[in-house]
Amino acid sequence: MDRLPGEAGAAPVAAAAEAEAEEEADPPAADLPAPQVSERRDPHPSRMQMPQGNPLLLSYTLQELLARDTVQVELIPEKKGLFLKHVEYEVSSQRFRSSVYRRYNDFVVFHEMLLQKFPYRMVPALPPKRVLGADREFIEARRRALRRFINLVARHPPFSEDVALRLFLSFSGPDVQNKLKESAQCVGDEFMSCKLAPRAKDFLPADIQTQFAVSRELIRNIYNSFHKLRDRAERIASRAIDNAADLLIFGKELSALGSDTTPLPSWATLHSSTWGSLKQALKGLSVEFALLADKAAQQGKQEENDVVEKLNLFLDLLQSYKDLCERHEKGVLHKHQRALHKYSLMKRQMMSATVQSREPDSVEQLESRIVEQENAIQTMELRGYFSLYCLHQEMQLVHVYLPLTSHILGAFVNSQIQGHKEMSKVWNDLKPKLNCLFAGPSGSPTPPRLPQDGVSPR
């Protein structure tokens, strides 16, 4: 793109934005009316003030982002609706000290509002919707995904100060969807409400396109690696839960063996006392194996919540950056190319009309359309720079989240240490209780001799 002046006139920008809204229907932002410059407003005036220093640079830490809010999403046990049952969630925000009830469709409308107002920011994707056959496992997976979505949104700097988030987390009226849509009327997207938008190019580094390409490749590589880590962590947690089920069945089988009431055959009556003692001991071992199963299940669940879920959170963030890069290329850049192509066609028509000496009115109308198209192209270029400006900030935000890796690894190590420690204690407590399973020549229980120095016991 050719270099433009740092500041653009207000009237051309507004006129071009209106023309763009009429001609382009691809992105969600085109569905909103583009207000005149004098009509631009923002629910938070503090965001409109010019920041000190370089506004391109973010100065947040992971702790500061996490401290913005913690939102819980819990499933309401009873499904609503007379015929078509739907699931409701209780959404609780620490920041707003609120607890509201939301349906999945409420999340969908809120997601659409975010895309309309912040098309150049990382908007996390929603989990898929399943109309029929939504089993308990699917509903739980979707609940976890909705919780990750709303926490990423609630901690995102621009989103956290937007009126739509406050409405979604605290409005307890009967129709939150209409309330969200009303809040977006006549507001426009972030490009229209941000005073920095016309000057975004002034803050971009000269090699911004190279940095964008390198950043996109880096995020792709990080995403692929974390995706594999998440898959392995899921398998590790799943194995712990499967181990718990196996230990529980193992103990139940020992208990069933000890509870067997089948009478002894006559030729085994000499050893009836031995079998009776063994049965009594086996029956009691089920308690220890049930405790082992409980410890293994706890470890698996803890790794699902503290390791797998945090990996999924980071993957959702990385995926939202990848989606943003695609919107940048397929949205802003594509629209800019279309505007340039249309401008080229109009210029040809103008040249043809001049050569053929058409009526003055038609030539004047064509000239007016060309001026409008030039303004639209100028706005497209300003939007392109603002998109790169936001991409640069969003990449910094991804890097702010990178220390989450240490939290994930710490949780994984602690889970393994604690889990093995607790299970080791149960195994050690179980070992002395095995003595009664072994009887010596005198009939008294004696434990088996263990191999020493590689020599088998005699």
Side-chain angles (χ1 to χ4, degrees):
M1 290 183 285
D2 297 333
R3 184 168 181 84
L4 296 174
E7 297 184 2
V13 172
E18 291 178 352
E20 172 196 353
E22 294 175 358
E23 296 176 3
E24 302 293 343
D26 297 337
D31 297 332
L32 290 174
Q36 299 291 334
V37 175
S38 59
E39 297 175 345
R40 293 178 187 173
R41 56 187 177 89
D42 192 278
H44 297 274
S46 61
R47 289 181 56 216
M48 301 296 293
Q49 298 175 0
M50 194 71 69
Q52 300 295 325
N54 187 353
L56 182 66
L57 302 180
L58 298 180
S59 59
Y60 300 102
T61 65
L62 178 60
Q63 288 71 23
E64 289 172 343
L65 289 182
L66 297 180
R68 282 176 174 262
D69 200 358
T70 297
V71 185
Q72 298 296 335
V73 179
E74 301 298 337
L75 183 67
I76 303 299
E78 182 180 356
K79 292 185 177 181
K80 306 294 182 179
L82 295 176
F83 301 102
L84 294 177
K85 301 292 184 180
H86 63 264
V87 176
E88 264 193 347
Y89 304 92
E90 183 178 6
V91 182
S92 305
S93 165
Q94 285 187 0
R95 175 188 174 189
F96 295 104
R97 295 182 181 145
S98 59
S99 182
V100 294
Y101 297 100
R102 296 288 179 257
R103 295 176 56 181
Y104 176 80
N105 288 339
D106 298 332
F107 280 90
V108 172
V109 172
F110 176 57
H111 183 263
E112 292 173 352
M113 294 300 101
L114 288 176
L115 284 174
Q116 288 181 3
K117 299 179 75 173
F118 300 97
Y120 310 121
R121 300 289 183 178
M122 294 187 298
V123 180
L126 285 176
K129 181 177 182 179
R130 182 185 295 182
V131 179
L132 300 175
D135 53 19
R136 181 178 300 178
E137 183 178 354
F138 172 83
I139 293 175
E140 172 60 17
R142 189 170 68 178
R143 181 194 69 82
R144 288 173 176 263
L146 291 174
R147 183 179 62 184
R148 296 195 302 270
F149 162 80
I150 193 62
N151 275 284
L152 285 174
V153 170
R155 294 162 180 169
H156 190 286
F159 300 165
S160 65
E161 301 302 325
D162 191 74
V163 64
L165 177 70
R166 179 176 57 80
L167 284 172
F168 186 80
L169 292 179
S170 61
F171 179 72
S172 57
D175 195 348
V176 68
Q177 296 183 21
N178 282 336
K179 197 72 175 176
L180 287 169
K181 293 174 182 177
E182 289 174 3
S183 70
Q185 291 179 355
C186 301
V187 174
D189 61 16
E190 188 183 12
F191 175 79
M192 300 295 293
S193 61
C194 180
K195 284 188 175 181
L196 285 175
R199 297 183 52 203
K201 183 179 180 181
D202 297 340
F203 304 105
L204 294 175
D207 60 342
I208 183 61
Q209 295 292 351
T210 302
Q211 289 193 27
F212 169 64
V214 172
S215 298
R216 190 174 187 180
E217 180 66 15
L218 174 63
I219 293 301
R220 187 185 70 84
N221 294 337
I222 294 177
Y223 178 87
N224 291 338
S225 294
F226 270 85
H227 195 278
K228 293 176 182 177
L229 289 173
R230 193 278 314 274
D231 289 347
R232 294 300 135 177
E234 279 185 337
R235 292 184 61 180
I236 292 172
S238 179
R239 280 200 298 269
I241 295 174
D242 291 343
N243 185 36
D246 291 339
L247 287 168
L248 188 62
I249 294 175
F250 194 93
K252 287 181 178 180
E253 289 302 320
L254 289 178
S255 179
L257 188 61
S259 303
D260 185 78
T261 57
T262 305
L264 288 174
S266 57
W267 53 266
T269 54
L270 293 176
H271 304 285
S272 59
S273 60
T274 302
W275 177 235
S277 300
L278 285 172
K279 289 204 303 179
Q280 189 65 28
L282 292 174
K283 186 188 301 184
L285 292 180
S286 63
V287 177
E288 278 73 19
F289 277 93
L291 185 57
L292 286 168
D294 183 60
K295 298 296 183 184
Q298 288 180 11
Q299 181 179 347
K301 292 296 182 182
Q302 183 178 353
E303 289 171 358
E304 281 185 344
N305 294 328
D306 296 342
V307 180
V308 175
E309 195 61 15
K310 285 186 174 64
L311 285 169
N312 279 326
L313 177 77
F314 192 53
L315 283 172
D316 289 349
L317 180 73
L318 296 174
Q319 183 62 54
S320 66
Y321 184 83
K322 294 171 63 179
D323 294 342
L324 177 59
C325 292
E326 290 188 7
R327 287 204 303 274
H328 172 74
E329 291 190 337
K330 296 182 179 179
V332 178
L333 297 185
H334 179 64
K335 288 169 65 177
H336 186 210
Q337 291 173 356
R338 288 174 59 184
L340 288 174
H341 178 68
K342 184 176 180 180
Y343 177 74
S344 176
L345 292 178
M346 294 170 69
K347 291 288 286 185
R348 292 177 186 175
Q349 293 176 3
M350 183 63 184
M351 293 176 62
S352 176
T354 303
V355 172
Q356 297 177 8
S357 300
R358 293 183 179 178
E359 297 180 1
D361 290 343
S362 63
V363 175
E364 183 177 347
Q365 290 176 359
L366 191 55
E367 288 178 343
S368 176
R369 291 179 57 195
I370 289 176
V371 172
E372 291 179 358
Q373 190 63 17
E374 288 174 345
N375 291 334
I377 291 174
Q378 184 181 26
T379 300
M380 285 294 149
E381 292 189 344
L382 291 176
R383 281 185 174 271
Y385 290 130
F386 184 66
S387 179
L388 288 170
Y389 171 92
C390 294
L391 274 166
H392 199 294
Q393 285 194 329
E394 299 300 273
M395 167 55 82
Q396 294 178 67
L397 197 60
V398 171
H399 280 269
V400 173
Y401 270 96
L402 275 175
L404 191 65
T405 307
S406 61
H407 293 240
I408 296 171
L409 292 176
F412 178 60
V413 172
N414 290 335
S415 173
Q416 290 290 319
I417 293 174
Q418 186 66 23
H420 285 84
K421 182 179 179 180
E422 292 181 357
M423 291 192 69
S424 177
K425 184 180 183 305
V426 179
W427 284 116
N428 286 324
D429 292 342
L430 174 60
K431 184 177 178 181
K433 299 179 181 180
L434 299 180
N435 291 340
C436 58
L437 296 177
F438 307 98
S442 61
S444 60
T446 58
R449 294 176 59 190
L450 298 178
Q452 299 293 334
D453 299 327
V455 181
S456 299
R458 296 180 182 178

